[in-house]
Each structure stands twice: as C-alpha cells, then as structure tokens.
C-alpha cells in the first residue's frame, strides 16, 4: 500500500456539520501537509504540521499528528458547501525533495 | 507574488506522437520544481523533481522525460505517447518553506 492513505475515500455531510479525514503513513517524515483540490483544478496548500508538532489550527481547520501511530487527521468545523472538494495528505520524506501524496478523500457538503 | 503557469490547459494527442508540456514560475528564484500525474479520481504520482538547472530526478521509469533549461522553466516531454500516458499533469514549485504550490494542470488525452 501507499506511504500516505486517506480514510475515508469519500465523505458526505450536511452543511454545518464537522468533517474528519484521516491519513496514515508508513515511514518517518519531516512534515505532513494537507492539500485541497477542486474538481479539475490544481492543488491548494491548506496546512503543514512538522514531525515535532502534535496539533495545529488554521481558521476552521484543525490538524493533528501522531508520529507514534504514523497518522494524522484533518478536521473541518462548521462545514460549508464551498468546502466540497478532494483532500489529500502529503508526507515530506526529504526536506522538500520527496513528497508522497495519498489517494485523497472526496468530501461532499450538502446544502 | 509568485505565480505558476502551465500550458496547454488541455491536449488531445494520437498514440505515438511527441509531447511537450511547459511550466514556468514567476516571482521566485531557484525553486524546487515537480511534475506529477493524476489519474481520474486518484492521488498524485510524482514523476520528476528538480533542485536546479539541468538537475532532474526521476521517480518512476517510463517513456517520459523532463528538462530544466532555465531556473524557472520545467518541461515534460515524450518522444512517443502511449495510451497509458493520459491523465492530468500538474507542475508544482516549492521554496524554503517546503510548501508546494501547484499550477492549474494540463489534461492530456491520448487516443
């Protein structure tokens, strides 16, 4: 299996609910990043958490990192229809020279 | 501010024809540059990355090649396209902060 794998593959929620996505990886990392992709577009960086950090916030986003379990979670609070997109975790294995992306979670937020 | 351009936006090519996709970055110097391919509904596969002019690292053996003739120009090429080369090609750059910034992508369909 891949270095980074998101779970679930797809998630459908109502507007206003919270959305939680998980990412697991296999090897030691320098940092872990979450990206968002709207259909047919490029990826947009959301948040970066370093291997020595456990939690990070940015607006409605909360990311946690558990290096002992090799896992991370992305929480989007008070979701909006505009949050509908695919979300990817990416692990940085070598200080910007080797990024590995997971297959992504497709989030649908229903109005 | 930094911007990244990719062209063309879409491309339909016959099997066996050559390929040249171009990516240019503005507003930064000596970036790390990356080429990814994304199959429909899937994650990103790192194809090539470059840390400087003329320096190319290949992650996946295939009939594609990359070149970096100038500091902020990254080109993806093929001499003879295969059906399996169809996909969404994304160029990205990264600076010291290790975050990747993606271009809008090129959708390639090989018939």
């Amino acid at each position: 299996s891949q270095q980074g794998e998101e779970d679930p593959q797809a998630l459908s929620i109502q507007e206003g609910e919270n959305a939680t996505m998980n990412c697991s990886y296999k090897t030691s990392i320098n940092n872990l990043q979450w990206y968002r992709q709207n259909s047919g577009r490029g990826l947009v960086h959301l948040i970066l958490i370093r291997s020595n950090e456990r939690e990070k916030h940015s607006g409605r986003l909360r990311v946690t990192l558990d290096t002992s379990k090799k896992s991370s979670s992305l929480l989007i609070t008070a979701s909006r229809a505009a949050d509908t997109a695919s979300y990817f975790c990416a692990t940085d294995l070598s200080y910007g020279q080797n990024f590995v992306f997971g297959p992504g979670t497709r989030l649908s937020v229903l109005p | 501010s930094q911007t990244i351009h990719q062209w063309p936006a879409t491309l339909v090519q016959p099997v066996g024809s050559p390929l040249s996709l171009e990516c240019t970055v503005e507003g930064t110097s000596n970036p790390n540059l990356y080429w990814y391919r994304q199959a429909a509904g899937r994650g990103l596969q790192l194809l090539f990355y470059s840390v400087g002019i003329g320096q190319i690292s290949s992650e996946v053996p295939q009939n594609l090649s990359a070149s970096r003739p100038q500091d902020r120009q990254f080109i993806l090429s093929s001499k003879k396209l295969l059906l399996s080369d169809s996909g969404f090609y994304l160029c990205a750059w990264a600076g010291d902060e290790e975050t990747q910034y993606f271009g809008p992508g090129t959708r390639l369909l090989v018939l």
Side-chain angles (χ1 to χ4, degrees), chain A residues 48-88:
Chain A
L48 179 153
I49 186 165
R50 299 197 177 281
S51 58
N52 61 352
E53 296 176 310
R54 292 296 169 258
E55 187 171 315
K56 208 161 184 181
H57 297 257
S58 178
R60 293 184 295 114
L61 305 181
R62 172 177 171 257
V63 169
T64 62
L65 179 65
D66 187 335
T67 53
S68 65
K69 296 181 179 178
K70 291 187 169 58
S71 68
S72 173
S73 68
L74 170 67
L75 169 67
I76 303 175
T77 60
S79 64
R80 306 166 182 167
D83 293 329
T84 295
S86 291
Y87 292 82
F88 297 88

Side-chain angles (χ1 to χ4, degrees), chain B residues 42-79:
Chain B
R42 305 292 297 275
L44 277 70
Q45 178 187 37
L46 179 62
L47 302 175
F48 301 95
Y49 70 90
S50 171
V51 298
I53 296 174
Q55 300 178 62
I56 308 295
S57 295
S58 174
E59 291 298 306
V60 182
Q62 56 207 318
N63 71 320
L64 299 172
S65 63
S67 62
R68 186 170 176 175
Q70 300 179 43
D71 181 45
R72 289 168 285 181
Q73 183 185 29
F74 205 23
I75 297 172
L76 182 69
S77 304
S78 174
K79 292 181 179 178

Side-chain angles (χ1 to χ4, degrees), chain A residues 2 30-31 33 35 37 39-45 48 50 88 92 95-99 101-104 106, chain B residues 32 34 36 38 41-46 49 51 59 88 90 94 96-105 107:
Chain A
Q2 301 181 57
N30 173 48
N31 65 62
Q33 304 178 33
Y35 289 80
Q37 183 182 35
S39 181
R41 308 292 295 275
L43 279 72
V44 175
H45 178 259
L48 179 153
R50 299 197 177 281
F88 297 88
D92 181 2
Y95 295 94
Q97 296 191 15
N98 192 354
F99 287 88
F101 283 81
R106 293 186 305 280
Chain B
N32 288 345
Y34 309 83
Y36 291 91
Q38 184 178 31
R42 305 292 297 275
L44 277 70
Q45 178 187 37
L46 179 62
Y49 70 90
V51 298
E59 291 298 306
F88 190 46
L90 289 158
D96 293 339
E97 69 274 19
E98 299 160 284
T99 297
Q100 292 202 323
Y101 300 92
F102 284 81
R107 191 162 303 282

